[in-house]
Amino acid sequence: GDSVTQMEGPVTLSEEAFLTINCTYTATGYPSLFWYVQYPGEGLQLLLKATKADDKGSNKGFEATYRKETTSFHLEKGSVQVSDSAVYFCAVSQGDSNYQLIWGAGTKLIIKP
Amino acid sequence: DGGITQSPKYLFRKEGQNVTLSCEQNLNHDAMYWYRQDPGQGLRLIYYSQIVNDFQKGDIAEGYSVSREKKESFPLTVTSAQKNPTAFYLCASRPNRAGNQPQHFGDGTRLSIL
């Protein structure tokens, strides 16, 4: 079945460091790919998305490129801030008619000043 | 502003008691979802509904029930059959069945056992 594998956390970085959180997936057809962010005690917010191969989603300095050849959707940011500390979830839409989202386990990001 | 409202924010359940979590959306979305999140874990799907008066079990439906009598509302009941209900519950909605549409989330309800 479809699945999503994320880099295990926590990931701890210093402020202004470069961030990469890896996400790979297995899915049939042509899924859409999403990154969500969850701040402590809150629900999930959509961070960015990509709907076809080679699309690049971007928002708030974060970027991710839909790589069909490597089935990956890695999240990157050039210079992280303390306020980026949160849990990040990668998700893939199923290719069947239910259009469910398959979720990664989440990666906790800690940014130290 | 349109959005998803979950209430209450915190809820306590006594042994043998059923409790109902509210989820209301004014986004005119067709599909709605309930997820459970345990500490340090990802999301697990409890139930989902793609249209009014229809809903499907997710991966962990045992001990839970739902209804979808109105497009805007998708309440979740945690029954006494759910022996380990302590968790963070998230409601989400989605515009339609198209795979490229993201899910939108409420702020969650934290349920604890008294």
Side-chain angles (χ1 to χ4, degrees):
Chain A
D2 297 353
S3 66
V4 176
T5 302
Q6 271 185 248
M7 171 188 282
E8 274 195 38
V11 173
T12 303
L13 297 171
S14 297
E15 205 166 19
E16 298 184 4
F18 184 86
L19 168 71
T20 299
I21 299 178
N22 290 339
C23 173
T24 57
Y25 67 91
T26 59
T28 56
Y30 301 91
S32 293
L33 308 177
F34 306 88
W35 275 103
Y36 283 82
V37 59
Q38 184 179 35
Y39 298 101
E42 297 184 8
L44 276 68
Q45 301 174 26
L46 177 68
L47 183 58
L48 52 85
K49 72 173 186 178
T51 58
K52 60 183 187 295
D54 300 323
D55 264 3
K56 177 185 284 188
S58 62
N59 186 24
K60 299 180 181 179
F62 291 90
E63 293 182 341
T65 301
Y66 190 142
R67 301 287 187 198
K68 193 165 177 64
E69 65 275 12
T70 55
T71 61
S72 65
F73 193 52
H74 304 322
L75 183 68
E76 296 181 336
K77 186 175 185 182
S79 176
V80 293
Q81 306 301 311
V82 172
S83 57
D84 293 327
S85 298
V87 180
Y88 293 81
F89 291 93
C90 182
V92 175
S93 66
Q94 278 188 318
D96 62 18
S97 60
N98 286 330
Y99 295 112
Q100 296 306 310
L101 288 185
I102 305 301
W103 294 90
T107 301
K108 185 173 184 177
L109 175 64
I110 300 169
I111 306 300
K112 295 187 174 180
Chain B
D1 279 344
I4 299 175
T5 302
Q6 289 189 242
S7 62
K9 191 171 179 67
Y10 299 96
L11 187 58
F12 298 91
R13 194 192 88 169
K14 296 179 182 178
E15 291 289 338
Q17 185 183 41
N18 293 353
V19 291
T20 297
L21 285 60
S22 171
C23 177
E24 303 279 332
Q25 55 101 357
N26 61 3
L27 299 167
N28 198 34
H29 287 176
D30 294 306
M32 297 186 74
Y33 309 81
W34 274 106
Y35 292 96
R36 171 178 172 143
Q37 186 179 30
D38 292 283
Q41 304 296 313
L43 279 67
R44 292 188 289 170
L45 183 64
I46 304 172
Y47 269 97
Y48 64 98
S49 168
Q50 294 178 318
I51 56 173
V52 174
N53 292 323
D54 186 51
F55 49 83
Q56 307 295 328
K57 292 182 179 180
D59 300 320
I60 56 165
E62 186 174 351
Y64 300 97
S65 66
V66 294
S67 63
R68 186 86 187 275
E69 297 176 1
K70 298 186 300 182
K71 188 175 186 177
E72 304 79 28
S73 179
F74 192 42
L76 173 74
T77 296
V78 184
T79 74
S80 56
Q82 173 49 246
K83 298 305 180 188
N84 183 23
T86 297
F88 190 49
Y89 291 86
L90 288 160
C91 179
S93 69
R94 191 176 194 175
N96 53 41
R97 300 189 196 185
N100 62 1
Q101 297 295 326
Q103 291 182 11
H104 299 253
F105 283 82
D107 288 334
T109 292
R110 192 167 300 279
L111 176 61
S112 302
I113 293 292
L114 280 178

